[in-house]
Amino acid sequence: FGQVYFIRSIANQQCEKYMSPLQFNICKQIKEDHIQLAQDLVFKKEQISLNQRYALASQILMLRQSQKSECEDQPQPLAPGVCQVISDDLFTEEQSFRKESTKEQRFTTILTMQGLRAIINAQCTDKPKPTSEDVCLQINQDLINFEQKASEVRTQVERFTVLVSAYSIRVFAKDSCSKLPQPSSKQVCQLIEYDLKNLYEQIAFEYEAKTPEERLMSLVYIQTLGLIGKQGCSGEPLPFPDKVCSIIKEDLGKEIDIYEESYSTKKPIERLPILSTFQALSQICLLYTSD
């Protein structure tokens, strides 16, 4: 069903006419599925691990969001018992965070806490409390340490990986702690700008040598670095040069042609990667180009 939801969401974003709601029998099945999964989460909570419960809660969220956006029958708020299980897991993860000895271990826990908080915020009547002050202090220290590491690594790829971790921590701290994290250092912001400039030059150079799908990875790097800079640095990220904007629009046109040509030769599931590339290019086009 995730593939159906993905295709419908792209159609509703990109096409002039909204798709009709899903058929009643499909909506009925979606509703029954998330109710069954919610029951499993409550009644089997002692038999399955926290990670398995988190996976179940994530599936419930996706199905409920699908029902909300695609069906006429809207879901009721999650039952208090289900929300309590998720809230208990959030508390357990906060306790685990305090015991972990490295920033890498704590980062994994932050991601789980972030996911659990998002589910509670989206589906439960009672919202989660702010993260404890001592945990937030450690989160902010980890953010500083990750950004310090980003300024020390030698390659652009290594730096990007570390900066993505720092970005996730910064977003979590902004959303769940009572005090905002400090801005990124001047050195980190200069490195982000330096990497963006290099990527702009790289993607223009790649134009003759790579396919739209291959160039998309460079565009995703650019998009992500822009978001990282926007979160931690003052001012807007560097605008896309005209040459890069022209490439994005040309690639978008090619992907539409490829999708239309594949209609008679490929199955829907085989066309999904083309649709994914089209969606990503379209989003970048909307965010970063002027027309």
Side-chain angles (χ1 to χ4, degrees):
F1 179 75
Q3 292 161 351
V4 174
Y5 181 56
F6 175 68
I7 293 170
R8 287 177 65 88
S9 66
I10 292 176
N12 283 331
Q13 285 176 36
Q14 305 295 342
C15 301
E16 289 184 6
K17 290 185 178 179
Y18 261 52
M19 298 193 75
S20 301
L22 283 170
Q23 294 174 9
F24 173 79
N25 61 326
I26 298 175
C27 288
K28 182 172 179 286
Q29 188 62 60
I30 292 170
K31 184 177 180 180
E32 288 174 359
D33 285 350
H34 71 67
I35 289 172
Q36 181 60 56
L37 289 172
Q39 290 172 348
D40 289 347
L41 186 63
V42 173
F43 296 121
K44 297 180 181 178
K45 65 178 182 179
E46 303 298 339
Q47 303 164 29
I48 56 178
S49 68
L50 188 147
N51 284 339
Q52 288 172 315
R53 291 195 296 274
Y54 175 40
L56 265 182
S58 299
Q59 290 174 35
I60 292 166
L61 175 64
M62 191 204 79
L63 287 167
R64 288 173 61 85
Q65 286 178 331
S66 301
Q67 183 186 348
K68 186 176 181 179
S69 63
E70 305 292 344
C71 301
E72 292 180 348
D73 182 22
Q74 295 293 289
Q76 298 296 316
L78 266 179
V82 181
C83 290
Q84 188 60 54
V85 172
I86 302 170
S87 296
D88 289 347
D89 283 346
L90 178 59
F91 177 78
T92 301
E93 284 297 271
E94 198 169 303
Q95 297 295 102
S96 299
F97 181 91
R98 293 185 174 96
K99 298 172 186 175
E100 284 156 353
S101 56
T102 69
K103 67 180 185 298
E104 287 77 16
Q105 289 173 324
R106 290 191 293 270
F107 174 65
T108 302
T109 304
I110 285 172
L111 293 181
T112 305
M113 289 164 63
Q114 192 171 33
L116 290 168
R117 291 182 72 88
I119 293 166
I120 296 168
N121 275 319
Q123 302 295 331
C124 298
T125 304
D126 294 333
K127 304 309 175 190
K129 296 176 183 176
T131 303
S132 302
E133 190 172 337
D134 64 310
V135 172
C136 286
L137 285 171
Q138 183 61 64
I139 287 170
N140 283 318
Q141 187 58 53
D142 285 348
L143 173 59
I144 292 167
N145 292 341
F146 267 108
E147 291 197 339
Q148 178 61 36
K149 183 178 177 183
S151 66
E152 294 168 356
V153 296
R154 294 186 177 183
T155 70
Q156 179 180 295
V157 173
E158 287 178 296
R159 188 159 50 247
F160 179 78
T161 303
V162 178
L163 283 171
V164 168
S165 299
Y167 170 74
S168 298
I169 295 171
R170 183 176 292 281
V171 169
F172 179 79
K174 278 188 170 183
D175 289 346
S176 69
C177 294
S178 55
K179 290 182 181 179
L180 293 175
Q182 290 182 346
S184 301
S185 69
K186 184 178 179 181
Q187 184 181 13
V188 168
C189 292
Q190 286 174 338
L191 283 168
I192 291 171
E193 191 165 323
Y194 171 79
D195 286 345
L196 277 171
K197 285 180 179 176
N198 284 342
L199 282 164
Y200 288 154
E201 292 174 8
Q202 178 182 321
I203 198 165
F205 177 76
E206 287 175 347
Y207 185 64
E208 298 299 331
K210 294 198 173 185
T211 65
E213 288 78 12
E214 291 168 329
R215 281 194 295 275
L216 179 61
M217 184 52 67
S218 295
L219 285 169
V220 170
Y221 273 138
I222 290 170
Q223 184 183 24
T224 307
L225 278 173
L227 290 171
I228 292 168
K230 203 169 183 179
Q231 277 284 339
C233 304
S234 58
E236 293 293 314
L238 287 170
F240 275 30
D242 290 342
K243 171 73 173 172
V244 176
C245 291
S246 298
I247 290 170
I248 294 170
K249 291 169 191 169
E250 197 165 324
D251 282 352
L252 194 53
K254 288 178 182 176
E255 286 303 302
I256 294 171
D257 290 343
I258 292 168
Y259 191 76
E260 288 176 346
E261 289 165 9
S262 72
Y263 190 74
S264 59
T265 59
K266 292 180 182 286
K267 297 176 182 177
I269 196 167
E270 294 173 326
R271 288 196 294 273
L272 270 181
I274 307 167
L275 207 53
S276 299
T277 303
F278 168 78
Q279 172 72 345
L281 285 169
S282 182
Q283 289 295 328
I284 292 168
C285 212
L286 285 169
L287 286 170
Y288 294 103
T289 63
S290 57
D291 57 347

